[in-house]
Each structure stands twice: as C-alpha cells, then as structure tokens.
Amino acid sequence: MNDCSAMKNIMTVYRKSIWNAFTKGVREFDMIKPGDKIAVCISGGKDSMLMAKCMEKYMKISGIPFSIIYLCMNPGYNTENLELIYKNSEKLGIYLEVFNTKIFKSIEQNEDNPCFLCARLRRGALYNAAKERGCNKIALGHHYDDVIETILMGMLYGGQIQTMMPKLHSENYRNMQVIRPLYYVRERNILEWAETSDLTFIRCACRATERSENYNQNVSKRQEIKELIKTLKDVNPCIEQNIFRSVWNVNLKHLISYHLGNERHHFLDNYDDLS
C-alpha cells in the first residue's frame, strides 16, 4: 500500500477512531501553536509512523502555521530493522532525518535496569538533535493504552499515583516541550490501521536488553498489566475509561500526602486547623 492509500484509510475507515481522536487531543491540550517547529520522533514502530502521517495532514489543513521534521534516531539497530524503517518511511512518503548514536552499545553492561537507562539516553539524544535543528517541541507516539497502563504500573509496581502527561515542559532543556498527539487514540485501532495498510513495523529491536533478565521482567510486567485490564474489562466494560479518568478527578483532601515539585504536603500538616 502506498502513501495515498494509508492516508485515505486514516481519513475514511479510521476517521472517527484515529483522526478525530488525534485532532481532539491536539486541540484539547493546545499542543500546537503558531510558529512551532516540531520534531516528530520516529522509532520505526506503528505508533510513531501513524503519528507522522497524522501530523503531516494536520499541518496541511489546520490553518496553524507550524512546521515539522521527521527525526529518527538509530541507537544501534541491526541492518534488517534499519532497512525496514527506511522501507516503511518510503511507502508512507515520510522523509526521515536519521542520526546515529551508540546507545544500545552503551547499555550492554548495565544489567540492573537497561530499559530505564536506554529510555533516558534516547530522550536526551532526541532533545539534543531536535534543539540542533531549531525545534521547540518533540512529538512522541504514546497512545491511550500507554496512558492507562502507566497509571496502573505506577500504582502496582511503583507505589505512586501519576500519569503520562499529554504535554510537558522539559526539565533539562530550556524552551523545549514534549507533546503526545495520539493521547486519545486506542492501540487496537492503530494495529488495525497497520494491518489494513499492509505494513510491518519493528518493536523494541534492542539486542542488548533482549538478553537481559530485567528486560524480560519489564516486558512481562507490561503484558501483565494488559492482561489485568482485559480481565477487569470483562467484569466492567467501563474500566479503561475509569482508569484514564481517575487522574483527572483527584481530591487532595482524600490523599495522605502529595508533592508539587520539591514542595511536599501531608494531611496532618493542617489537620487540627480544620477541626
């Protein structure tokens, strides 16, 4: 399938489930402003490739004057995966700006938490590359299911309540923001789009972490959360929406403690004053 057919699918077959969900997130969270130069980060997976096509279309029809580049980092992919990325980008009419790093090689000796280190190094490399090209935002392909899985993983494995934000300011890179345009798009619809577009995408493709026991544990945890959500949905069809909305309806009076930046609060701090 060529570029036109893949885009036609987004605007027809998946107009409601993908395109409308995409535009809703972009508009509701005010992700794109006039004058923005956005680095659309391409990992080679289904999510980032879909995001790239949606961003391309939105730039043409939104009426907002902004620009995009398609930034692809090669952290050390093997030849087969790298060729697949180029093949898919050509099919979809995406012109990639590829830059090379040695991130996979850097994490080979890290047995404790290779996935955390890899994510941190990749994010830093993307920020630097985007900044060098004059961008003020990077767009990542996280979707609705990533959000609800992150909420549950934080509670069950991290002992904390937090969510994956639709946009945020970088703490270490001045005047740089992250946006997540697929925030409202469901993974099942992305998978269907990929299948009907006759495209095969890479997954993690990290040779270093695939040999690590911790990598397999992390994958198992993510899959465990997916299975848990699926089981809960059999009992309550609204469970996914409820998880998603739970971090929109936080009552601070009903929390033992919370923190805002470095400022920490505990319910006992002013408990007697409220009697």
Side-chain angles (χ1 to χ4, degrees), residues 20-32:
N20 289 354
F22 165 82
T23 56
K24 177 184 177 181
V26 170
R27 292 168 180 164
E28 181 174 327
F29 299 116
D30 196 21
M31 293 185 187
I32 300 174

Side-chain angles (χ1 to χ4, degrees), residues 234-253:
D234 290 338
V235 179
N236 180 2
C238 298
I239 199 70
E240 292 165 313
Q241 180 180 348
N242 289 343
I243 295 171
F244 187 83
R245 287 292 174 183
S246 66
V247 291
W248 296 55
N249 298 303
V250 179
N251 188 337
L252 296 182
K253 290 184 178 181

